[in-house]
Amino acid sequence: MQIIHISAECFPIAKVGGLADVVGALPKYQEASGVSSSVVMPFYDNKFTQSNNKKLKTITKGIVSLGNQNFDYVILKLNKNVLGFDVHLIKIDGLTDKENVYGYPNDVERFVAFQKVACDYILLVKNKPNVVHCHDHHTGFIPFFMGHGFKYSLLKNIPSVLTIHNAQYQGDFEYDKMHYLANFNIENAGLIDWYGRINPLATAIKCAWKITTVSPNYLNELQEIANGLEGLLRNEKEKSLGILNGVDTGVWNPKTDFMLVSNFDLRSVNKGRKGNKEALCKKFGLDESLPLVAFIGRFVYEKGSDLLADAVYNVLEVQKQKVNILVLGSGNPETEKELNDLKEKIPTNFNTYIGYSEELSHVIYGGADFLLMPSRVEPCGLNQMYAMRYGMIPIVSNVGGLSDTVIDIDNGEDGYGIVINDINVHEISFAIQRAVDVYANATFFKAKRKQLMKIENSWNKSAKEYLKMYESIIKLSKK
Ligand code: ADP
Ligand code: GLC
């Protein structure tokens, strides 16, 4: 079986969030299980491509047009021996070759052109894939182009899958850019429309042969709340399936993780975590004897990060809880400012690193005692799974994949996390108080750490579920 994943992100080539982790891990696990799997993504001019420049081999060159504008492109290949699966990078001059993945005024043009070239690439390859697996809205037109684009009629019978990592982002735009899309019979224009706008996520939900969400619970939630797409998702329920993400245990292994200050396994967890915690406390001026609660993530409404500054203030200044809090993240400028200002007000038990640091995130997973994830929306969430694998207790809201992966510590012996039912400052502060109480009982706390580390959340299980799903649609394509 041969699968092509198409995505805007892939770790370690370009990462903004968990999408990169998934697309950097699943193909590796698929390859290991005998499924030939590769990734097609945009070429960005970033650290990874600069330092791997010599390993990128040109496969083909061409021209892609958006209306009357033509752009030269080249498709570069990174061989399997680098990441464990082949990657094809589409470099479109003046469009994809920027440093960042998203955030440019011409993102619509960038990703529409990318998707057209991705389809050109599939047309070109001799061994056609059995399934084209698209991820999020940046690849949402691909199932439509394959099914209805004049140029791509040869791809009509290749099954396509859309995985929804986050339905909050849909990439919708006005009709004045419709002529950028690959030519199609205008009778099918309804497929690209959602309430008067062109919406690539809605397009893929309508056109892909199968839809998956990154946790079973998120699929249920989307039937009720999906940023305007709930009705459509209810309509397409029959072809939808929730498959939980996994952990790439090659990258996320506390015994071999080269980013940790102190490596550990189940037997040496207490000593190892102490080493990482000491390093963190030293770096951020925190008190090692107190429990350390950390947040890692993008500062967006969905993550509940707007509540962090008030919660920290309430916990440390009003309630005077005996705890340290460390925040790693970036995003909303107001949140960044509030947290920076708070550093001045609370110089001892609180600190923040505004920015993105893969290294620091690993040391936090390996050293901080509790991970705070007060998400309002969390399709799966990988942070809590990484935390658990490293013996860090998750404090999470009761939504999406967090509900699928975390059992409250008061829920009998099987419990190991702290679940927050309503997301507000009061409940977050209460959850932190519960964490402080858990920490105070050292024997119980250490036993829970070990329990967490034994939980099996690797990609092995989910990769099998994807395989079963692919088999079901390949069967359909042969009917
Ligand atoms: P999302 O994809 O919604 O951001 P996930 O929980 O699926 O959420 O994945 C987030 C990923 O990004 C994790 O690997 C997490 O460690 C990482 N991450 C998020 N923010 C930062 C940051 N500021 N620095 C380092 N890593 C980060
Ligand atoms: C999205 C979601 C996150 C999920 C990730 C990977 O970014 O917000 O919950 O874990 O994709 O699927």
Side-chain angles (χ1 to χ4, degrees):
M1 187 186 298
Q2 202 198 329
I3 311 298
I4 294 184
H5 291 272
I6 309 189
S7 168
E9 301 178 36
C10 173
F11 180 82
I13 302 173
K15 169 167 168 176
V16 177
L19 168 63
D21 289 3
V22 171
V23 178
L26 179 58
K28 225 189 308 182
Y29 279 74
Q30 292 178 328
E31 282 276 317
S33 70
V35 174
S36 158
S37 182
S38 64
V39 170
V40 174
M41 67 182 292
F43 170 98
Y44 306 107
D45 192 1
N46 64 13
K47 260 196 208 146
F48 184 94
T49 54
Q50 282 157 15
S51 56
N52 287 278
N53 190 23
K54 289 209 178 93
K55 295 181 191 147
L56 298 174
K57 301 275 170 284
T58 299
I59 298 294
T60 186
K61 292 180 178 187
I63 291 174
V64 58
S65 56
L66 294 175
N68 65 11
Q69 280 184 288
N70 289 331
F71 299 87
D72 291 326
Y73 73 76
V74 36
I75 301 183
L76 302 156
K77 181 179 177 185
L78 186 68
N79 204 290
K80 218 189 197 79
N81 57 16
V82 182
L83 298 181
F85 50 91
D86 285 338
V87 182
H88 288 89
L89 296 144
I90 294 177
K91 183 178 184 207
I92 310 175
D93 288 353
L95 289 179
T96 69
D97 53 353
K98 303 277 183 294
E99 183 183 356
N100 296 326
V101 178
Y102 319 112
Y104 298 97
N106 62 346
D107 276 357
V108 169
E109 288 78 357
R110 294 171 76 226
F111 286 105
V112 169
F114 162 67
Q115 294 176 77
K116 288 167 90 169
V117 182
C119 289
D120 287 351
Y121 165 74
I122 304 170
L123 262 189
L124 185 88
V125 290
K126 237 200 248 140
N127 293 330
K128 295 282 180 271
N130 299 98
V131 176
V132 172
H133 190 153
C134 303
H135 296 266
D136 273 353
H137 76 81
H138 319 97
T139 61
F141 291 125
I142 288 173
F144 173 69
F145 290 164
M146 288 171 60
H148 304 279
F150 293 139
K151 185 175 177 185
Y152 305 114
S153 58
L154 271 179
L155 310 181
K156 227 185 182 72
N157 294 322
I158 301 179
S160 56
V161 175
L162 166 75
T163 292
I164 304 178
H165 295 260
N166 199 333
Q168 295 298 110
Y169 307 107
Q170 301 173 4
D172 51 314
F173 54 91
E174 297 287 342
Y175 269 86
D176 57 354
K177 292 184 177 173
M178 186 167 90
H179 61 293
Y180 291 168
L181 304 183
N183 283 325
F184 60 93
N185 186 336
I186 201 70
E187 281 175 13
N188 294 318
L191 292 170
I192 59 171
D193 183 88
W194 195 246
Y195 285 96
R197 287 172 69 78
I198 298 179
N199 183 319
L201 190 67
T203 305
I205 294 170
K206 294 177 201 174
C207 298
W209 294 35
K210 201 89 188 174
I211 295 161
T212 71
T213 59
V214 289
S215 71
N217 189 39
Y218 186 51
L219 179 60
N220 293 335
E221 287 177 355
L222 286 179
Q223 311 300 301
E224 304 302 325
I225 308 173
N227 201 9
L229 297 182
E230 38 290 309
L232 178 60
L233 282 155
R234 279 199 294 271
N235 263 347
E236 302 291 356
K237 181 88 201 274
E238 288 270 293
K239 65 172 188 192
S240 310
L241 173 74
I243 302 180
L244 195 69
N245 286 336
V247 173
D248 182 342
T249 53
V251 175
W252 297 95
N253 179 351
K255 201 170 172 186
T256 53
D257 186 336
F258 64 91
M259 295 190 213
L260 289 185
V261 174
S262 163
N263 287 104
F264 58 91
D265 59 13
L266 202 54
R267 268 189 307 176
S268 55
V269 51
N270 294 332
K271 187 162 167 265
R273 292 193 60 87
K274 190 163 181 281
N276 294 311
K277 183 171 175 181
E278 275 170 11
L280 282 174
C281 289
K282 200 160 159 222
K283 184 173 161 89
F284 291 102
L286 302 168
D287 180 349
E288 268 167 48
S289 67
L290 298 180
L292 173 55
V293 175
F295 172 97
I296 302 171
R298 297 178 292 118
F299 293 162
V300 291
Y301 179 81
E302 288 77 34
K303 299 282 177 194
S305 52
D306 53 303
L307 300 174
L308 285 174
D310 279 341
V312 170
Y313 187 82
N314 192 45
V315 166
L316 297 176
E317 290 295 286
V318 181
Q319 299 181 338
K320 306 272 181 216
Q321 292 192 40
K322 296 276 173 262
V323 64
N324 294 311
I325 303 176
L326 178 63
V327 173
L328 163 63
S330 61
N332 184 309
E334 245 170 70
T335 305
E336 292 185 356
K337 182 172 182 320
E338 276 182 345
L339 290 166
N340 264 331
D341 290 349
L342 209 57
K343 241 181 3 186
E344 313 291 315
K345 275 192 217 149
I346 315 176
T348 44
N349 297 118
F350 167 72
N351 212 330
T352 182
Y353 178 105
I354 304 293
Y356 188 93
S357 167
E358 195 73 27
E359 280 87 3
L360 178 58
S361 77
H362 282 240
V363 183
I364 293 177
Y365 291 122
D369 302 298
F370 299 90
L371 176 79
L372 177 62
M373 278 182 92
S375 307
R376 295 186 177 96
V377 179
E378 197 60 82
C380 177
L382 292 167
N383 295 22
Q384 83 281 9
M385 293 205 250
Y386 299 152
M388 284 151 64
R389 184 154 169 77
Y390 281 41
M392 180 191 203
I393 296 183
I395 305 174
V396 301
S397 55
N398 198 2
V399 298
L402 298 175
S403 315
D404 283 336
T405 50
V406 179
I407 305 173
D408 193 272
I409 217 155
D410 284 346
N411 233 336
E413 272 177 25
D414 290 342
Y416 45 76
I418 293 171
V419 176
I420 313 174
N421 285 314
D422 288 309
I423 291 306
N424 56 51
V425 169
H426 176 81
E427 294 292 326
I428 295 171
S429 309
F430 178 63
I432 293 178
Q433 182 59 60
R434 287 183 66 201
V436 173
D437 294 342
V438 167
Y439 185 83
N441 183 345
T443 318
F444 178 73
F445 173 69
K446 287 178 181 166
K448 285 294 157 190
R449 267 179 175 169
K450 292 200 170 179
Q451 183 180 335
L452 283 168
M453 288 179 74
K454 289 187 207 155
I455 295 170
E456 166 62 20
N457 269 329
S458 104
W459 268 109
N460 284 327
K461 187 166 163 262
S462 310
K464 281 189 194 129
E465 289 183 49
Y466 275 110
L467 181 60
K468 236 167 84 187
M469 178 270 292
Y470 296 146
E471 280 165 349
S472 73
I473 47 176
I474 292 172
K475 227 188 243 167
L476 283 182
S477 72
K478 290 189 174 141
K479 270 193 181 162

